[in-house]
Amino acid sequence: QKAKSPLSLSPLGSVSSSRFTKTRYKMRDDSKYDFVATRIFPDIRSTKVRDVPKDRVWKAYNRVTGKDDNVYLQLKKGDWVFMYDFDEDYKVIRSKCLIEEVKEPKRKRTRSKSPNPAASKTIAASTPSAGGRGSNTSLDSTATSVTTATTITDSANNSSNNINNSATSSSSSSSTAVAAPWEEVIVPEENMTAMVKHRGWYNKGKIAKVEKKEEEGGEARKGVKTAETYTIRVVYDVKALKSTTLTYPAKNMEDLILVNGEEARKSLKPREKMHALGMFTVDDPDVGMYIGWYKGMVKDVKKKGNNRYRLSVCYVDGTQGACDYPSSNIVGLFHQSEIATAVGKTKGGGSDGASERSSSKQLEAVVFESVQNETPKSTLLSDFFRGDGLVYLLENCQLEDLAEKLPIIMNAVSLTPVWLITEKTSLREMVLDKVRQSAYLGQLYAYLVDSKTLMFPEFFLSSLQPVSQVKFWDKVAKMSAARELVKDSIIDIKLVLDNLVEAESKMKREGPIDSRSPSDIVVYHPLVPSKIVTKMKVLKVFESNTRPFLTQLYNETEVIHPPVLIKFGDDFRQDVSCMNMFYLMNHFWEEEKTQYKGMPIVCKTYQCIAGGDKLGFIEFVKDCKCLYESKSAISNLRQEQFHRLIGSGAGSYIASYILGIRDRHADNILIHKDGTLFHIDFGHVLGDTVTIDTHPFAITSSFKKQLGQKWPAFLDECIKAFLVLRRPDNAHKLIQFAVVCFSPLYPEHKIIEFLRKQLYMNRTVEKAGVKIRKLIESAPGSYRTRFKNALHAVAVSMKG
């Protein structure tokens, strides 16, 4: 079987319908595909497909023509065939015609009377006109002429109005019609979700700014009690869409729908004949393909569990689909009285009339607070990736952000071209001013210099000399090597420093002494800003070649959390660089909202600092089991935790593969009790060879067995995670950022060449995805992984 067209790419646009009965089509003989994938429309998130052979002849029950001149065929109710061809950037080649109509000799037809001509006419007239969503399939670019945008929009609006009228007439037995949910005016607030109608579908975004304006004698609208209007600016979730400024309420109320009480909506029970917005892949002729939303009516509701339902929805073009509720791919349009009741219950109130009559302003205040809590915090790293400029970042960043990403910022300054020396010098002084203002940043600056993390340290040292802690940590390293540090050992930092000062004073006559005396050293908690440490207690010593030890740090009055794992003998610059690369990958996945069953695809990160030559401080993550113990670690996971395992496992394995992290025995892959899978110990990266190593994806057969029927879902999530990083813009950023992170360790050309190889930049996206899938499928059965893990287990047992 040759490569199939990706399911996520589908054309869109409002379309006109051409009704006909069972026209026959087949694949062209010169097609390069042996099989074609079909799917059930419109559940675009599903990867369940059926393969049909190339020589199959299809009967098409419906044919529609889109604004892009493509003809889309519906084989039977809700079943569409994928007939695209793609270039290496996943762009559809519109001019490619992959099928042809089967011409059959005309047969004599006998005329028969219809038992009910009126009914037949009614049925023919009600044939659905497809709304141009992502499930339709491009088959022929010349079969039908293109309809105008005005006709298309009017057709979609008419279908929508029919649904609206049906719902309104059936929702109440009283003579007064009930207003549709979007006709109930609410008070807009910043960060509220807004659904803006565009070309027959809706674009989702957040309100960034609200301005109230008074209009005397304004036109009264259904559900509007005052003439108050607002000017709002909407920033869309899809980055390619420009923000727009709109008036609310809109003249046509359904052109702009505000979604308040998002948390409260999850607790409400959906009902038949209520309205909803469903997520689909859309194809804008100006922007391209992205995620949009279509309006529909709930036809059926089935309970799946506690506050979980399965909905069958009929959309404005007559097509139907099913999805779970609540979920991220459907928005239920409830009435404000229902939302007010739900908000009252979450606050501990009842569902009496008073709570139902609560003002919109009070309701929005509660919703705004919950939305704020859900909105990801803008950090220095995320702004750095958006390219807002180092000057802006350094002027506006917080201490915690700067402390965490100081090596990235300083190396980015170092890599500024020489022809921008004025700007480069200005950036250096801005960074060093921040360092001078904080003793904790001063310690981190010393760590960067001592560990040789900076690409050109002389550029910074000419302006500011740090207070080095090398002498202190060398003393601790000698104590560890001499096995003086055992469980419950206490290291008195002041006593160690005093002994170093005394030893230095005895050597004064033998030669010049370093001006940076141990008496100037103040030790801060490596992971917690502004916490001075006076004592360290050894909690545990790990039996390995480097004898790392877990310590609890204290000052004069308190215990300082969290505990820190201190390790000598490894180059921790690689660990720090890998963590920063993981941050960038997580940033891309978060931007694309890449999730599995509501759990984000993510590569877990933890704090890691290179403190000197062969010295590192690592955040200790407790309650973990290694991959050896996958059976006990996975068997007791709840459903939500199991979904987290798949999401984090896909992110971690893909991230580890792209960075070429080696020596992946089972002790270097951990599973937290909440289901998060993550990698540790990055001593071999960018393909550094190990004498005996595992498969590139160190997935054990036991892990696959524990996933059971979810193994195909895990495979799909891995491919999804890889393809997000493989997109040309993201791949370019990954490679350039890797140069910044790994430049003190590897030549630039090696970094670029290796990542291009891992991302398969010399192949098409489709072929790269197929290659990754084959690699992952072969991983559990690899003898290399079994041999490496067995050898490592023997080595560990011999050490006791």
Side-chain angles (χ1 to χ4, degrees):
Q1 179 179 347
K2 295 185 179 180
K4 295 176 290 189
S5 302
L7 299 183
S8 60
L9 291 178
S10 309
L12 139 344
S14 298
V15 294
S16 62
S17 177
S18 174
R19 294 185 294 274
F20 61 106
T21 304
K22 299 184 181 179
T23 303
R24 295 160 64 84
Y25 287 86
K26 70 174 184 178
M27 181 78 83
R28 283 176 46 165
D29 294 334
D30 59 353
S31 170
K32 63 182 180 181
Y33 301 110
D34 295 325
F35 289 87
V36 179
T38 68
R39 66 176 305 156
I40 302 302
F41 176 84
D43 188 8
I44 65 164
R45 297 182 62 135
S46 171
T47 56
K48 184 177 181 181
V49 298
R50 294 188 294 111
D51 290 336
V52 293
K54 175 181 178 178
D55 55 359
R56 175 75 57 83
V57 176
W58 297 290
K59 294 179 181 179
Y61 289 75
N62 190 20
R63 181 179 71 189
V64 293
T65 304
K67 294 180 64 177
D68 54 5
D69 284 342
N70 285 318
V71 174
Y72 311 134
L73 295 185
Q74 189 177 29
L75 302 185
K76 59 183 181 180
K77 186 177 180 181
D79 200 4
W80 298 79
V81 130
F82 280 73
M83 289 287 191
Y84 295 127
D85 211 355
F86 295 86
D87 61 20
E88 62 180 9
D89 294 327
Y90 256 175
K91 300 295 183 183
V92 178
I93 302 175
R94 301 293 188 185
S95 60
K96 203 81 166 181
C97 181
L98 299 182
I99 70 153
E100 59 188 4
E101 187 173 341
V102 178
K103 300 293 185 180
E104 295 182 350
K106 292 184 179 180
R107 301 176 183 176
K108 274 191 174 182
R109 300 178 63 184
T110 57
R111 183 176 298 179
S112 60
K113 293 184 179 180
S114 171
N116 190 347
S120 301
K121 186 176 181 180
T122 303
I123 293 172
S126 63
T127 302
S129 170
R133 280 199 288 271
S135 54
N136 299 338
T137 308
S138 173
L139 297 171
D140 187 355
S141 60
T142 59
T144 312
S145 60
V146 187
T147 57
T148 63
T150 305
T151 305
I152 292 166
T153 306
D154 290 344
S155 174
N157 289 340
N158 290 338
S159 301
S160 174
N161 291 335
N162 291 339
I163 291 179
N164 298 344
N165 295 336
S166 172
T168 304
S169 61
S170 60
S171 60
S172 175
S173 59
S174 63
S175 59
T176 305
V178 179
W182 54 86
E183 293 179 332
E184 298 177 306
V185 176
I186 60 177
V187 178
E189 295 278 359
E190 291 183 3
N191 270 4
M192 185 184 293
T193 297
M195 311 295 286
V196 182
K197 196 169 186 179
H198 173 72
R199 295 183 183 271
W201 65 86
Y202 287 86
N203 292 328
K204 185 180 179 182
K206 292 284 187 182
I207 298 177
K209 186 178 181 181
V210 179
E211 290 183 358
K212 181 179 177 181
K213 58 180 182 179
E214 299 290 342
E215 294 183 0
E216 295 183 2
E219 180 183 355
R221 300 184 183 95
K222 190 175 184 179
V224 183
K225 296 182 179 180
T226 68
E228 292 181 353
T229 57
Y230 302 85
T231 300
I232 62 175
R233 184 167 67 89
V234 179
V235 178
Y236 296 102
D237 293 351
V238 179
K239 305 300 180 184
L241 299 176
K242 296 181 179 179
S243 61
T244 54
T245 301
L246 306 165
T247 298
Y248 179 80
K251 188 172 183 180
N252 185 352
M253 294 290 289
E254 66 175 334
D255 287 347
L256 175 57
I257 301 175
L258 300 188
V259 182
N260 63 335
E262 293 186 65
E263 284 301 315
R265 289 170 190 262
K266 295 179 182 179
S267 64
L268 292 173
K269 179 182 178 181
R271 61 184 183 279
E272 293 183 7
K273 296 187 178 179
M274 70 171 287
H275 297 83
L277 296 173
M279 180 191 294
F280 294 90
T281 304
V282 301
D283 188 4
D284 191 313
D286 299 325
V287 178
M289 294 180 181
Y290 60 87
I291 296 297
W293 300 74
Y294 272 81
K295 191 168 67 173
M297 179 188 292
V298 177
K299 289 296 185 183
D300 185 48
V301 180
K302 293 182 180 178
K303 190 174 180 64
K304 289 187 64 177
N306 187 23
N307 288 332
R308 300 286 300 176
Y309 304 90
R310 185 70 174 172
L311 307 185
S312 176
V313 184
C314 179
Y315 293 94
V316 292
D317 60 358
T319 55
Q320 296 189 27
C323 64
D324 290 341
Y325 184 89
S327 67
S328 58
N329 60 344
I330 191 166
V331 176
L333 299 181
F334 295 92
H335 288 278
Q336 289 302 304
S337 59
E338 299 174 277
I339 299 172
T341 302
V343 171
K345 288 181 179 179
T346 58
K347 294 171 64 178
S351 59
D352 55 5
S355 65
E356 289 190 3
R357 292 190 296 271
S358 61
S359 68
S360 297
K361 201 167 232 180
Q362 291 173 333
L363 172 63
E364 291 305 319
V366 175
V367 176
F368 175 60
E369 183 179 354
S370 66
V371 172
Q372 265 195 324
N373 293 335
E374 291 180 353
T375 303
K377 178 185 176 184
S378 176
T379 63
L380 181 143
L381 190 62
S382 63
D383 290 339
F384 181 84
F385 296 146
R386 293 190 182 105
D388 293 329
L390 287 175
V391 174
Y392 171 81
L393 297 180
L394 292 170
E395 287 177 347
N396 297 278
C397 66
Q398 301 296 320
L399 171 63
E400 293 80 3
D401 283 334
L402 186 58
E404 190 177 3
K405 299 298 174 283
L406 191 61
I408 296 176
I409 298 298
M410 298 187 81
N411 277 331
V413 173
S414 297
L415 291 170
T416 303
V418 67
W419 54 84
L420 298 175
I421 189 63
T422 303
E423 291 81 357
K424 184 174 182 176
T425 305
S426 175
L427 288 170
R428 178 191 67 183
E429 293 308 314
M430 290 182 69
V431 174
L432 294 181
D433 282 344
K434 296 280 187 179
V435 171
R436 294 184 184 100
Q437 294 169 16
S438 168
Y440 176 72
L441 287 181
Q443 174 176 283
L444 292 181
Y445 176 49
Y447 287 162
L448 295 179
V449 174
D450 294 339
S451 64
K452 301 176 183 177
T453 299
L454 298 181
M455 193 171 181
F456 301 109
E458 299 80 11
F459 179 66
F460 294 94
L461 292 175
S462 62
S463 182
L464 178 63
Q465 287 287 335
V467 178
S468 176
Q469 297 183 2
V470 169
K471 295 177 181 178
F472 169 74
W473 290 110
D474 280 350
K475 178 63 176 177
V476 177
K478 291 176 182 177
M479 295 167 64
S480 176
R483 295 183 176 268
E484 296 177 19
L485 299 181
V486 295
K487 185 178 179 181
D488 296 330
S489 297
I490 302 292
I491 303 174
D492 190 320
I493 294 176
K494 186 177 184 303
L495 181 60
V496 174
L497 293 176
D498 288 343
N499 291 338
L500 289 174
V501 172
E502 184 179 348
E504 191 174 81
S505 64
K506 292 180 181 179
M507 299 173 61
K508 281 185 178 180
R509 296 180 182 179
E510 298 180 10
I513 301 299
D514 191 340
S515 58
R516 295 169 291 175
S517 169
S519 60
D520 299 329
I521 295 176
V522 178
V523 179
Y524 286 83
H525 193 297
L527 310 180
V528 182
S530 305
K531 292 288 186 178
I532 297 177
V533 179
T534 58
K535 287 192 301 183
M536 297 190 297
K537 180 181 179 180
V538 178
L539 301 179
K540 182 178 180 180
V541 178
F542 296 88
E543 291 300 328
S544 68
N545 293 334
T546 56
R547 285 180 57 82
F549 55 95
L550 181 65
T551 60
Q552 181 66 67
L553 307 184
Y554 301 82
N555 60 19
E556 297 292 351
T557 59
E558 62 178 338
V559 179
I560 309 174
H561 294 286
V564 180
L565 186 65
I566 300 176
K567 190 175 182 181
F568 298 98
D570 288 338
D571 191 344
F572 281 89
R573 294 178 297 172
Q574 297 184 156
D575 294 65
V576 175
S577 299
C578 287
M579 283 298 138
N580 287 322
M581 291 297 296
F582 293 162
Y583 279 116
L584 178 55
M585 296 178 190
N586 289 339
H587 172 73
F588 290 145
W589 290 325
E590 183 182 6
E591 272 197 332
E592 297 295 329
K593 295 181 173 56
T594 314
Q595 297 180 342
Y596 173 73
K597 303 282 188 182
M599 290 297 162
I601 303 298
V602 65
C603 179
K604 179 177 173 57
T605 57
Y606 49 87
Q607 288 182 274
C608 181
I609 294 175
D613 188 23
K614 308 296 183 181
L615 166 64
F617 309 103
I618 307 170
E619 176 188 355
F620 182 69
V621 183
K622 59 182 182 179
D623 298 324
C624 295
K625 294 183 178 180
C626 66
L627 203 58
Y628 278 125
E629 307 168 286
S630 60
K631 183 175 181 179
S632 60
I634 297 175
S635 58
N636 295 324
L637 294 179
R638 299 191 302 273
Q639 184 181 46
E640 179 182 346
Q641 295 171 334
F642 197 85
H643 294 163
R644 184 181 288 112
L645 173 72
I646 292 177
S648 61
S652 295
Y653 274 111
I654 289 297
S656 176
Y657 172 78
I658 288 177
L659 295 184
I661 299 171
R662 300 293 186 251
D663 197 27
R664 297 295 87 199
H665 55 73
D667 273 347
N668 282 341
I669 302 173
L670 304 182
I671 301 175
H672 190 262
K673 68 177 183 180
D674 69 356
T676 302
L677 183 147
F678 63 102
H679 290 237
I680 62 171
D681 194 355
F682 308 107
H684 303 273
V685 299
L686 297 187
D688 285 349
T689 56
V690 183
T691 305
I692 300 174
D693 204 2
T694 63
H695 186 281
F697 287 93
I699 301 172
T700 63
S701 56
S702 174
F703 180 71
K704 177 182 178 181
K705 184 177 180 181
Q706 291 303 312
L707 291 184
Q709 295 181 350
K710 295 296 184 181
W711 169 252
F714 174 76
L715 270 174
D716 292 337
E717 297 309 308
C718 287
I719 304 305
K720 186 195 301 182
F722 174 80
L723 292 180
V724 169
L725 303 181
R726 176 56 179 76
R727 290 178 184 172
D729 288 347
N730 292 347
H732 176 73
K733 290 178 183 178
L734 269 178
I735 294 171
Q736 293 300 312
F737 191 67
V739 171
V740 177
C741 293
F742 291 103
S743 56
L745 299 164
Y746 300 94
E748 181 177 346
H749 69 89
K750 177 180 179 179
I751 301 169
I752 295 174
E753 289 173 5
F754 182 82
L755 262 71
R756 283 185 60 84
K757 179 173 74 74
Q758 295 298 94
L759 291 165
Y760 295 98
M761 299 303 291
N762 60 337
R763 302 191 185 197
T764 64
V765 176
E766 187 176 12
K767 289 181 179 178
V770 171
K771 177 65 176 177
I772 292 294
R773 179 178 287 274
K774 288 181 179 178
L775 274 174
I776 300 174
E777 286 175 339
S778 65
S782 171
Y783 75 92
R784 294 162 55 191
T785 301
R786 293 198 301 271
F787 185 67
K788 172 74 172 181
N789 285 330
L791 195 65
H792 178 75
V794 171
V796 171
S797 63
M798 290 178 64
K799 290 179 182 178

